């Protein structure tokens, strides 16, 4: 089970018809959340009025007076990609992203720019936690997450199925505008500490460098992901 708190995360879980075990409303906030309470009643989801101490102890201090306990999020394998019925598909591959804050922020951008799925390795990647879910502020309900045993095999599968692979690298010599958007694209983002593995870079069709003009020559992984998803949005 996953704890969900904050009005946006709660609203999106309900909108996505997630399976909710129970809900909590801060005493005195019944009028503020009457629309959500109506949905809870319609879906026969039990809710309980609780005091501030309960909320702070159970959900931290960013709860906004509303919270849910929902079932764990569903994850997928590579066969999910066969269900994506659209032209110019967009997949994000995360290599070694272990910070749940980063994954949550990346999910928000993936939803904003309509990416079709995110692929992570089972090893050296953050699992889906309540931090991931709540940082995503509901975006996790809409972006399929695929976990694989081998990112190398996943990349090989993508290339065999018509995807062009774009890796970000400090030594990259390709500009985003020189990569055609009229194709299926898989974008790789590496960790801040180690970047993208050499094997994945060798399997990539393009090495792209994010052009920067400031004094600091590195970006947070979630910022890099957001920039690239914007550049290659469909």
């Amino acid at each position: 089970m996953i704890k969900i708190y904050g009005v946006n995360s709660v609203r999106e879980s309900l909108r996505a018809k997630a399976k909710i075990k129970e809900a909590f409303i801060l005493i005195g906030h019944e009028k503020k959340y009457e629309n959500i309470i109506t949905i809870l009643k319609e879906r026969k989801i039990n809710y309980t009025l609780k005091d501030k101490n309960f909320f702070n102890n159970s959900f931290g201090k960013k709860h906004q007076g509303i919270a849910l306990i929902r079932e764990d999020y569903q994850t997928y394998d590579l066969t999910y990609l066969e269900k994506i019925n659209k032209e110019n598909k967009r997949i994000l591959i995360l290599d070694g992203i272990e910070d749940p804050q980063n994954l949550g922020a990346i999910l928000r951008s993936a939803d904003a720019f309509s990416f079709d799925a995110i692929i992570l390795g089972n090893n050296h990647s953050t699992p889906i936690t309540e931090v991931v879910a709540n940082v995503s502020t509901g975006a996790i309900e809409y972006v399929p997450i695929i976990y694989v045993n081998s990112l190398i095999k996943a990349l090989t599968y993508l290339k065999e199925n018509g995807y062009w692979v774009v890796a970000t690298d400090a030594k990259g010599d390709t500009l985003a505008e020189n990569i055609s958007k009229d194709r299926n694209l898989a974008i790789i983002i590496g960790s801040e500490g180690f970047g993208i593995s050499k094997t994945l870079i060798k399997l990539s069709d393009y090495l792209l460098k994010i052009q920067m003009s400031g004094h600091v020559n590195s970006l947070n992984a979630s910022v890099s992901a957001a920039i690239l998803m914007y550049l290659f949005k469909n």
Side-chain angles (χ1 to χ4, degrees):
M1 293 293 174
I2 297 283
K3 296 178 182 179
I4 299 298
Y5 46 84
V7 62
N8 288 332
S9 295
V10 167
R11 185 181 291 120
E12 295 306 330
S13 291
L14 292 171
R15 185 179 296 172
K17 292 183 168 50
K19 292 183 180 180
I20 309 299
K21 181 179 180 181
E22 56 185 325
F24 306 98
I25 307 287
L26 182 64
I27 294 171
H29 281 50
E30 298 94 319
K31 182 69 174 177
K32 179 178 180 179
Y33 293 129
E34 60 182 349
N35 291 338
I36 290 176
I37 290 173
T38 298
I39 295 171
L40 293 173
K41 289 179 178 178
E42 289 173 350
R43 292 185 55 190
K44 296 181 172 55
I45 298 170
N46 292 328
Y47 73 93
T48 308
L49 298 178
K50 293 288 187 178
D51 62 23
K52 192 171 184 179
N53 284 336
F54 169 85
F55 269 91
N56 289 345
N57 291 333
S58 300
F59 305 104
K61 295 185 178 181
K62 296 182 179 180
H63 50 73
Q64 297 180 302
I66 190 164
L68 303 172
I69 305 296
R70 62 150 289 163
E71 67 172 7
D72 290 340
Y73 291 93
Q74 181 179 5
T75 59
Y76 302 88
D77 59 26
L78 287 175
T79 59
Y80 175 83
L81 300 179
E82 299 170 7
K83 302 177 182 179
I84 303 174
N85 185 23
K86 60 179 280 192
E87 293 184 356
N88 304 325
K89 303 177 186 69
R90 296 291 186 265
I91 307 298
L92 188 69
I93 300 171
L94 302 180
D95 182 15
I97 301 298
E98 299 181 293
D99 184 345
Q101 296 272 351
N102 271 341
L103 180 56
I106 288 168
L107 282 163
R108 292 181 69 175
S109 297
D111 178 57
F113 301 123
S114 300
F115 265 57
D116 299 299
I118 291 177
I119 298 176
L120 302 98
N122 282 321
N123 296 319
H124 307 297
S125 295
T126 180
I128 299 175
T129 64
E130 75 176 65
V131 174
V132 173
N134 287 291
V135 171
S136 83
T137 60
I140 193 172
E141 302 287 353
Y142 306 106
V143 183
I145 299 175
I146 297 169
Y147 280 97
V148 297
N149 290 327
S150 169
L151 288 179
I152 295 172
K153 290 182 179 179
L155 226 61
T156 301
Y157 174 90
L158 288 167
K159 290 169 70 71
E160 289 174 349
N161 285 273
Y163 286 81
W164 293 74
V165 179
V166 180
T168 52
D169 188 84
K171 298 179 181 179
D173 56 3
T174 304
L175 299 177
E177 54 264 34
N178 293 331
I179 300 174
S180 173
K181 293 184 179 181
D182 295 328
R183 57 182 64 177
N184 299 330
L185 292 175
I187 313 298
I188 310 176
I189 296 292
S191 69
E192 294 167 47
F194 300 100
I196 300 170
S197 72
K198 292 180 180 179
T199 306
L200 296 186
I201 286 177
K202 288 180 181 178
L203 286 170
S204 300
D205 298 296
Y206 301 102
L207 289 183
L208 183 146
K209 181 177 181 180
I210 298 175
Q211 298 296 309
M212 293 180 281
S213 57
H215 299 89
V216 179
N217 63 357
S218 65
L219 294 171
N220 174 278
S222 64
V223 174
S224 295
I227 290 171
L228 291 176
M229 286 189 281
Y230 172 77
L231 290 174
F232 292 110
K233 67 182 187 295
N234 199 350

